[in-house]
Amino acid sequence: MDTDSFSDDEIRDVLSLKKIAVVGMSQFPYKDAHIVPKYLIKNNYDVIPVNPNTDEILERKSFPKTSNVPGEIDVVDVFRPSDQVLPIVQDAIKKKPKVIWLQEGIHNVEAEELARKHGIKIVFNRCMLAEHRRLFSH
């Protein structure tokens, strides 16, 4: 599977953004969709869970959709199967995030083109935790 063409410096810029809505964030500690946002919280990111099946994850209020999150969002981090990404991106665009980040293994050309058309950077098939560790851990 392809990955986006962002340079390390561009990914560093994305990782400097601090308000992150995590779509598909899991309440189950053994899932990547729980491990990654928990890591981000420990590294001073303001993580907002987006999961319609629960009211709270990691003591943070969870919202059913990205468009329900109050205030501005810098990054929408998506943990959903590739074939479910398009409606998530369509909803996320309403919040005008700077970046939509599709986690490792997630790639949806139609959704990616839609985000770009709205001036939103789209990172795909990368893990935020892995990229953060790779670029910031010494």
Side-chain angles (χ1 to χ4, degrees):
M1 179 185 294
D2 290 335
T3 190
D4 58 71
S5 58
F6 291 112
S7 69
D8 284 356
D9 283 343
E10 289 170 315
I11 294 296
R12 271 190 204 92
D13 288 346
V14 170
L15 291 170
S16 73
L17 302 168
K18 292 299 183 183
K19 189 160 183 185
I20 303 174
V22 180
V23 178
M25 186 164 162
S26 177
Q27 47 197 327
F28 303 108
Y30 56 86
K31 291 195 155 191
D32 288 341
H34 182 93
I35 295 164
V36 172
K38 188 174 180 181
Y39 170 89
L40 294 172
I41 291 166
K42 284 185 181 166
N43 283 277
N44 302 314
Y45 288 88
D46 180 9
V47 172
I48 302 107
V50 177
N51 181 327
N53 303 316
T54 185
D55 294 332
E56 187 179 277
I57 304 172
L58 292 172
E59 299 176 0
R60 291 162 184 260
K61 180 174 172 36
S62 179
F63 296 89
K65 295 191 312 196
T66 305
S67 58
N68 298 128
V69 175
E72 290 186 10
I73 298 168
D74 295 322
V75 180
V76 176
D77 186 18
V78 180
F79 280 92
R80 300 300 305 146
S82 297
D83 63 356
Q84 295 177 18
V85 168
L86 185 59
I88 291 166
V89 168
Q90 289 167 332
D91 180 64
I93 285 168
K94 297 172 190 169
K95 295 298 288 185
K96 299 181 172 72
K98 295 175 182 79
V99 180
I100 295 175
W101 185 302
L102 305 179
Q103 281 291 138
E104 209 165 350
I106 305 172
H107 184 31
N108 181 311
V109 174
E110 190 180 356
E112 291 153 17
E113 287 173 357
L114 181 66
R116 284 188 205 101
K117 197 171 89 184
H118 283 84
I120 300 167
K121 289 180 186 168
I122 184 103
V123 176
F124 62 89
N125 194 26
R126 292 190 195 233
C127 174
M128 281 189 100
L129 182 157
E131 293 296 310
H132 187 274
R133 278 195 180 143
R134 183 174 72 82
L135 296 169
F136 292 102
S137 296
H138 303 292

